[in-house]
Amino acid sequence: MFYRVGTLLNINGLSGKVIGYIEYVNPQDSNKPWTEYRLKTAKGECWLSCDEVYDEYSISWPANNVRGRIGPEWHKVDEGTQVVRSAGGDVDVDPGERASFVEYEDASEDLTLSVEVWSDGTEFSTGKYIEKSDIVETGYEKPRKRINLAVAWVIFAFVFPPLWIMGNTFFASLNAHKSIDKYVKESGKYAYETSLSGNQNQKATVYAYQVSATTDEVAMDIIQGIEGDTESVTQKDDTADEEIAILTKKEYCLVYHPENDEEKVYVQVSNRKYNYTSDNAPYRSSSAGTTWYRSHYYSSGYSSDSSSYKGTPSAYSMYNGTTIHNIGNGYFDSYSSSIRQSSINNRQSSSGGLSSGK
């Protein structure tokens, strides 16, 4: 069976529409093929996996809370390499792209957990097995044609030249991302705490998240707020609810719990020039958190900033502390990439999108 883009399905009472598909082969298993369909449902987007060779079918959702922490309740049932043979609709892959995968089941053999390692990040998803008979085709909606806004505007500009400048401003606004500082200041979720003065008239601003949360949850809120426009996102020791550093082209942000107060989450954000010229400790940060904050900036931003701020004295010019090698390339970078691609697709059409392989 094959479901084209626009097919309407009902899976055990869950109605959805196929908005994209990916056909895979596993070269480590005699190029065994299977197809995964991206569905838009009332419960969010999910994936329907159809393996007609082994007669296995499942439905799954992204599991952002897993992040590599796979407990003893799961046992491995399959692993290999998945290579994209073909794709269509609203998916962000090309033929020939590949990822390593590992499949897990729970003790009941009803629930599933999947890990996919792509070149730009790792994706986790959880779901459940279903029967082929659970999948019922209920209709078809012809997909909307996408309009290439950039091409349309060039054509429009030649017809209506006086509007060119207005149009350029409009498209610039479509591609403009909020800064972290502007987002946390305007979102209503954060309260101003204090400001820290640095060298060269630079300053850092500290905000407190207004409800109880983990650093993971606050970082994800910020990433969504700036539409994934990050250079790297790194968590200390890759451990849940630890400090998280978000580096963008212009800002450096630390999400952390103040010392001796695990109920609060602070967000300290500054222009990168503040960090380049000052090595102040974050407000109410622990000594270990301060050390990590400094070493992370030195490892992630100092080199490029030294080119941007030539002639400006740097507090890190004689730095001899530790360095961090695992900058980005983890769950939060993958999440940021997904948000960024979804935002791009939303500006280009009425459909969303995912990246990092799907």
Side-chain angles (χ1 to χ4, degrees):
M1 62 182 181
F2 177 79
Y3 302 116
R4 57 180 174 162
V5 174
T7 300
L8 304 179
L9 300 175
N10 186 291
I11 305 171
N12 279 337
L14 177 65
S15 297
K17 180 171 72 173
V18 176
I19 60 174
Y21 68 87
I22 305 173
E23 293 183 301
Y24 290 109
V25 294
N26 183 357
Q28 295 171 315
D29 188 8
S30 304
N31 281 325
K32 179 185 74 69
W34 75 97
T35 305
E36 295 190 6
Y37 298 92
R38 186 179 179 201
L39 305 180
K40 188 173 184 179
T41 77
K43 294 184 178 181
E45 292 180 1
C46 61
W47 289 86
L48 169 66
S49 178
C50 297
D51 184 341
E52 297 191 79
V53 175
Y54 291 144
D55 196 31
E56 288 185 348
Y57 305 86
S58 64
I59 187 168
S60 61
W61 282 262
N64 297 329
N65 60 328
V66 175
R67 301 187 52 244
R69 298 186 291 274
I70 300 174
E73 68 272 23
W74 298 101
H75 62 275
K76 183 167 64 176
V77 294
D78 194 15
E79 64 180 324
T81 301
Q82 56 190 42
V83 180
V84 178
R85 182 169 67 181
S86 65
D90 194 4
V91 293
D92 187 29
V93 294
D94 295 310
E97 288 191 55
R98 62 178 56 211
S100 300
F101 71 87
V102 184
E103 299 285 344
Y104 298 86
E105 293 177 352
D106 71 342
S108 69
E109 299 184 350
D110 292 328
L111 304 181
T112 65
L113 188 156
S114 302
V115 183
E116 298 178 359
V117 182
W118 297 85
S119 61
D120 58 353
T122 301
E123 295 180 351
F124 302 91
S125 60
T126 55
K128 61 182 179 180
Y129 288 116
I130 57 175
E131 299 294 331
K132 184 176 182 179
S133 58
D134 294 331
I135 309 169
V136 179
E137 186 172 345
T138 60
Y140 176 78
E141 288 184 1
K142 186 176 182 180
R144 297 179 182 177
K145 290 185 178 181
R146 294 189 178 189
I147 300 175
N148 188 316
L149 295 180
V151 173
W153 173 246
V154 170
I155 296 173
F156 184 76
F158 279 103
V159 178
F160 301 100
L163 299 179
W164 177 262
I165 296 177
M166 291 176 59
N168 277 345
T169 302
F170 170 71
F171 279 100
S173 68
L174 284 180
N175 291 312
H177 295 290
K178 287 183 178 179
S179 68
I180 296 176
D181 186 70
K182 183 176 181 181
Y183 170 70
V184 299
K185 187 182 299 182
E186 296 178 351
S187 71
K189 302 176 184 179
Y190 303 81
Y192 172 81
E193 190 76 14
T194 189
S195 295
L196 304 178
S197 298
N199 298 328
Q200 301 293 318
N201 296 319
Q202 299 298 307
K203 74 172 185 176
T205 307
V206 182
Y207 301 88
Y209 198 63
Q210 297 198 69
V211 297
S212 179
T214 65
T215 58
D216 298 44
E217 292 167 334
V218 175
M220 291 169 69
D221 178 71
I222 292 172
I223 291 169
Q224 291 179 33
I226 63 171
E227 299 181 354
D229 192 20
T230 64
E231 288 200 344
S232 68
V233 186
T234 307
Q235 186 164 46
K236 181 184 176 185
D237 300 327
D238 196 28
T239 302
D241 209 22
E242 288 283 355
E243 290 91 338
I244 299 174
I246 304 174
L247 188 74
T248 71
K249 289 182 179 179
K250 295 183 178 181
E251 293 175 303
Y252 186 60
C253 172
L254 182 70
V255 181
Y256 64 105
H257 291 292
E259 189 171 26
N260 300 322
D261 192 350
E262 293 297 313
E263 296 301 314
K264 286 186 177 180
V265 175
Y266 281 169
V267 173
Q268 179 170 310
V269 58
S270 61
N271 288 330
R272 284 169 58 164
K273 190 173 183 179
Y274 169 87
N275 300 91
Y276 181 78
T277 58
S278 311
D279 61 355
N280 300 336
Y283 177 66
R284 291 186 59 194
S285 172
S286 67
S287 58
T290 296
T291 298
W292 186 82
Y293 170 78
R294 290 170 175 161
S295 60
H296 179 272
Y297 169 74
Y298 181 78
S299 303
S300 64
Y302 172 72
S303 179
S304 60
D305 287 350
S306 62
S307 298
S308 300
Y309 307 127
K310 285 181 179 178
T312 301
S314 174
Y316 287 83
S317 59
M318 302 297 289
Y319 179 81
N320 61 358
T322 59
T323 56
I324 296 175
H325 300 289
N326 59 332
I327 301 297
N329 296 322
Y331 165 75
F332 284 103
D333 262 5
S334 177
Y335 179 76
S336 185
S337 178
S338 173
I339 294 296
R340 180 166 58 250
Q341 187 62 49
S342 179
S343 174
I344 291 171
N345 289 344
N346 283 335
R347 288 195 296 270
Q348 292 176 341
S349 72
S350 60
S351 301
L354 297 173
S355 63
S356 299
K358 284 188 180 177

